[in-house]
Amino acid sequence: MTDRAQLDEHQLEEELVVGGPERRGRLAEFWYYFRQNRGAVIGLVVFALIVVTAVLAPLIAPHSPSVQNRGAFLLPPFWQEGGNTTFLLGTDAVGRDMLSRLIYGARFSLFIGLFVVVLAMSVGIIVGLIAGYFRGWVDTVVMRVMDIILAFPSLLLALVLVAILGPGLLNAMVAIALVLQPHFVRLTRASVMMERNSDYVIASRVAGAGRLRLMFVTILPNCMAPLIVQATLSFSSAILDAAALGFLGMGAQPPTPEWGTMLAEAREFILRAWWVVTFPGLAILVTVLAINLMGDGMRDALDPKLKKS
Amino acid sequence: MLRFILHKIGLLIPTFIGVSIIAFAFIRLLPGDPITLLAGERGVSAERYAELQSAFGFDQPLVIQYIHYLGDILQGDFGTSFVTKRPVLDEFLTLFPATLELSICAILLATLIGIPAGVMAAVKRGSFFDQSIMGVALIGYSMPIFWWGLLLIILFSGVLQWTPVSGRISLLFYFPQVTGFMLIDSLLSGQPGAFRSAVSHLILPTIVLATIPLAVIARQTRSAMLEVLSEDYVRTARSKGLAPRRVIGLHALRNALIPVVTTIGLQVGVLLAGAILTETIFSWPGIGKWMVDSVFKRDYAVVQGGLLLIAGMIMLVNLAVDLIYGLINPRIRR
């Protein structure tokens, strides 16, 4: 009880110091609108569960994801004839436990999403800020380069980049980040151009703020709303694209329990063992769907046009 | 309007040059040099290496090489396949109709279902119907289509045995390619059962490829309709006592379709990315599978040429979409 009170007091103090009440007010407002979207809340819950599963994978998984159990090749899930409860969701062609591989796979998918979004977003924001702030030839060059990247179908460009860099998860992630970052550049640039002539920015400039301060401290925080939504949507695209590259044999390499790679390994058994194909894909679908539900809710909550005032 | 068109075409030129630089750089960025790649595992002698280098012009400065490359492209020479020794453009043109046929069927399916679904969802906003349609659309939008294709194969080809697993037509049929579109060629051949076979091969890939565009179009149509339905002119039309059907069909839908047309146009890139996966799953002999196979066969001349051809095509389609958009919506011409 006292702890709690102390914590609150501490928070209050912090807010008073850094001008937090306003920020907290915005968060509360965001949560108020986000909560009204039932799908978004379901998405958030599912996503949280996936995160917990990924973090606690070694504790939750009943078996090792890489141990091959001899004499247990292509066992069906427990509810089907021939299945047993040792391997709840059955085993794959070399006798590895499907459930454990799926659980460990969550780690890869979340890591891929996080890595790609952080890389694409940080590069995209810096480039977009520069283009939108300085305008002129810098802007023209940057935007033409982004047009060039966007002229290719994303998966094709990623595939070709991986062909250059060599197949593997890290290279696949770098390629996907490169393909996704033009969206961040465009969004940042558009919001910066809208903000840079507003009164508060001019006031800050008159007060003597330097370029970097204007760009990153004054303008950037006011451009974050669309970027956060884009980050969420990119998170799910990254997972899908990485799985697709894995499926094509250009992403994570076997025996990594990455969901797309698992599907690629399972392809030859599709007509004999439905479970080796069904579960990894279902895992991808549920994860991506949960993130997209959250993204929809965030967009509605952050977009002032859609808010019921 | 003419200024608008010229402006749009003007923007395209630097983009095309950039795309060609990427395609040009591609082969030179690969680990190992092009001649060693071309020679394969047998390798070449030092004299032959020098000979080949000057034959291909690889001993010249990069800028000169690039200018030659650009000149070749403008004359329609997109390189020669390392594997088949055929011109890349020929291969592209042979395989492209298969992709085009699949893409047209997919976009038709997506539009014919997506627009009515979006309109109905908007009209019955908040209803159970609206929520189900949007729920299904979001699932479609989140679908890993390579997995979706495998599921359909398990169900329709494996369990029900209704459709074949791969290819464009049963091997029992043979007839000359007239249009390159299997649906039309099979009809022209007059062979009984040929058309049926072509349709049964086409149906699953079409569904798979249409899934994401369908979801996008339905969502976009719904939000465009919702925006339009709250406009004053729609309220006026309603208050005049026009039948709801007329208000929705004539007044609202026509205006709501403007952004939807753009969305449909922008799906071309999505379709081609989807074709890479769809064609691989169904062994559909189109350019998507061609590109994937070429990456695996290390036929980098094909990858380079195909990259440029595909990007060029997408740029032209986007230009067409921009122009159509300018045509139906004079406000953006300025």
Side-chain angles (χ1 to χ4, degrees):
Chain A
M1 188 66 201
T2 38
D3 279 351
R4 177 80 202 250
Q6 263 174 357
L7 196 74
D8 280 348
E9 206 175 273
H10 185 70
Q11 268 179 355
L12 198 71
E13 204 174 270
E14 209 171 55
E15 279 164 9
L16 286 173
V17 174
V18 296
E22 189 224 356
R23 179 155 296 176
R24 195 179 173 191
R26 267 201 265 165
L27 249 181
E29 191 193 349
F30 168 77
W31 177 241
Y32 173 79
Y33 284 107
F34 186 84
R35 215 177 39 187
Q36 290 187 334
N37 185 331
R38 198 157 29 116
V41 176
I42 297 174
L44 183 65
V45 171
V46 173
F47 184 70
L49 283 176
I50 297 169
V51 172
V52 171
T53 311
V55 172
L56 300 180
L59 299 176
I60 301 173
H63 301 271
S64 153
S66 50
V67 166
Q68 307 180 0
N69 298 288
R70 284 169 193 213
F73 299 151
L74 286 178
L75 279 187
F78 74 93
W79 62 85
Q80 249 195 341
E81 208 185 314
N84 62 52
T85 46
T86 322
F87 304 106
L88 285 175
L89 295 182
T91 58
D92 68 5
V94 288
R96 290 172 298 200
D97 180 44
M98 284 298 290
L99 180 62
S100 308
R101 287 179 70 72
L102 290 172
I103 290 173
Y104 275 90
R107 294 189 145 190
F108 284 93
S109 281
L110 294 182
F111 173 68
I112 290 166
L114 197 67
F115 181 93
V116 169
V117 167
V118 168
L119 186 61
M121 192 164 162
S122 40
V123 174
I125 284 180
I126 292 172
V127 175
L129 263 177
I130 292 172
Y133 186 81
F134 291 108
R135 304 299 312 271
W137 66 269
V138 181
D139 183 36
T140 313
V141 170
V142 166
M143 291 325 284
R144 285 294 82 77
V145 172
M146 296 307 132
D147 280 353
I148 292 164
I149 298 179
L150 289 173
F152 296 98
S154 57
L155 188 62
L156 180 64
L157 191 57
L159 190 70
V160 169
L161 284 170
V162 175
I164 296 175
L165 300 168
L169 188 57
L170 181 68
N171 291 343
M173 290 191 298
V174 171
I176 296 167
L178 186 85
V179 171
L180 287 177
Q181 58 81 32
H183 300 286
F184 289 101
V185 173
R186 285 188 156 189
L187 267 179
T188 312
R189 172 181 173 267
S191 349
V192 169
M193 277 163 53
M194 243 168 54
E195 300 289 335
R196 72 194 278 267
N197 292 325
S198 5
D199 291 342
Y200 74 92
V201 178
I202 294 170
S204 180
R205 185 182 297 147
V206 170
R211 272 182 186 157
L212 283 180
R213 189 182 173 84
L214 278 176
M215 280 161 68
F216 286 94
V217 182
T218 315
I219 299 181
L220 183 60
N222 293 293
C223 306
M224 283 314 282
L227 287 171
I228 291 170
V229 177
Q230 182 62 37
T232 319
L233 297 177
S234 297
F235 200 103
S236 59
S237 316
I239 292 178
L240 272 183
D241 284 354
L245 285 177
F247 179 73
L248 291 173
M250 283 289 174
Q253 297 296 306
T256 313
E258 195 272 322
W259 294 334
T261 312
M262 285 170 73
L263 270 174
E265 287 180 81
R267 253 186 90 182
E268 50 183 309
F269 306 105
I270 55 172
L271 296 180
R272 274 202 287 154
W274 59 269
W275 57 94
V276 290
V277 177
T278 311
F279 295 132
L282 200 60
I284 301 172
L285 176 62
V286 169
T287 311
V288 172
L289 186 61
I291 297 167
N292 283 342
L293 278 168
M294 274 165 42
D296 271 9
M298 281 169 132
R299 196 192 45 218
D300 293 354
L302 289 170
D303 188 345
K305 269 195 294 183
L306 293 172
K307 275 182 199 165
K308 293 161 227 144
S309 44
Chain B
M1 187 67 196
L2 187 67
R3 266 192 66 194
F4 175 74
I5 296 176
L6 289 178
H7 174 70
K8 286 287 174 194
I9 294 176
L11 279 179
L12 217 58
I13 293 169
T15 314
F16 181 78
I17 291 178
V19 167
S20 70
I21 290 177
I22 289 190
F24 171 79
F26 163 69
I27 283 209
R28 285 154 186 88
L29 284 174
L30 286 166
D33 69 302
I35 292 176
T36 327
L37 284 171
L38 195 63
E41 279 160 16
R42 282 172 300 154
V44 283
S45 65
E47 303 100 68
R48 182 81 183 122
Y49 183 88
E51 207 177 295
L52 282 170
Q53 240 195 345
S54 67
F56 284 106
F58 287 138
D59 51 354
Q60 286 170 324
L62 278 179
V63 180
I64 306 287
Q65 286 186 40
Y66 173 70
I67 291 171
H68 282 301
Y69 175 68
L70 205 59
D72 286 346
I73 287 168
L74 293 178
Q75 291 168 42
D77 177 6
F78 287 82
T80 309
S81 161
F82 292 170
V83 176
T84 62
K85 310 291 178 207
R86 286 179 59 203
V88 173
L89 186 63
D90 283 5
E91 292 204 344
F92 179 85
L93 292 176
T94 318
L95 297 170
F96 183 59
T99 301
L100 189 63
E101 180 177 41
L102 181 59
S103 305
I104 290 177
C105 291
I107 205 75
L108 277 179
L109 182 73
T111 312
L112 292 180
I113 300 180
I115 290 184
V119 170
M120 307 241 284
V123 171
K124 302 189 181 226
R125 182 185 190 175
S127 66
F128 176 71
F129 179 79
D130 177 26
Q131 286 177 354
S132 333
I133 293 224
M134 285 305 109
V136 172
L138 196 67
I139 292 175
Y141 183 69
S142 311
M143 189 64 89
I145 59 167
F146 44 97
W147 175 66
W148 176 224
L150 295 178
L151 281 193
L152 290 177
I153 290 178
I154 292 181
L155 181 62
F156 290 104
S157 308
V159 180
L160 298 171
Q161 308 232 317
W162 287 355
T163 55
V165 180
S166 65
R168 290 180 79 188
I169 194 154
S170 163
L171 292 172
L172 298 172
F173 299 101
Y174 181 76
F175 41 80
Q177 280 204 358
V178 185
T179 58
F181 293 117
M182 205 48 95
L183 289 180
I184 301 175
D185 287 353
S186 63
L187 272 181
L188 289 178
S189 76
Q191 294 181 32
F195 181 70
R196 215 186 128 96
S197 169
V199 171
S200 70
H201 280 80
L202 186 62
I203 204 156
L204 289 189
T206 302
I207 293 174
V208 170
L209 191 55
T211 303
I212 289 178
L214 171 56
V216 173
I217 291 172
R219 279 161 66 96
Q220 174 75 42
T221 308
R222 177 179 179 270
S223 63
M225 270 306 267
L226 281 180
E227 210 161 283
V228 170
L229 283 176
S230 62
E231 293 281 348
D232 290 342
Y233 59 82
V234 171
R235 193 169 352 120
T236 311
R238 280 214 172 109
S239 55
K240 276 197 303 189
L242 291 184
R245 186 173 290 229
R246 205 174 151 78
V247 175
I248 291 161
L250 198 69
H251 293 251
L253 185 58
R254 275 174 71 176
N255 285 296
L257 279 183
I258 293 176
V260 176
V261 169
T262 317
T263 307
I264 295 174
L266 293 179
Q267 293 304 305
V268 175
V270 177
L271 276 180
L272 279 168
I276 293 173
L277 294 167
T278 311
E279 291 179 0
T280 304
I281 300 164
F282 291 98
S283 302
W284 188 264
I287 52 170
K289 185 169 184 300
W290 178 57
M291 289 300 279
V292 174
D293 289 349
S294 302
V295 167
F296 274 101
K297 279 190 274 183
R298 296 168 177 262
D299 192 346
Y300 294 123
V302 168
V303 177
Q304 181 185 37
L307 204 58
L308 189 59
L309 283 163
I310 292 173
M313 197 170 59
I314 292 181
M315 282 162 57
L316 286 181
V317 174
N318 287 348
L319 175 70
V321 173
D322 272 354
L323 296 185
I324 293 173
Y325 193 52
L327 206 65
I328 57 178
N329 187 7
R331 272 171 295 185
I332 67 147
R333 267 186 245 156
R334 270 193 293 163

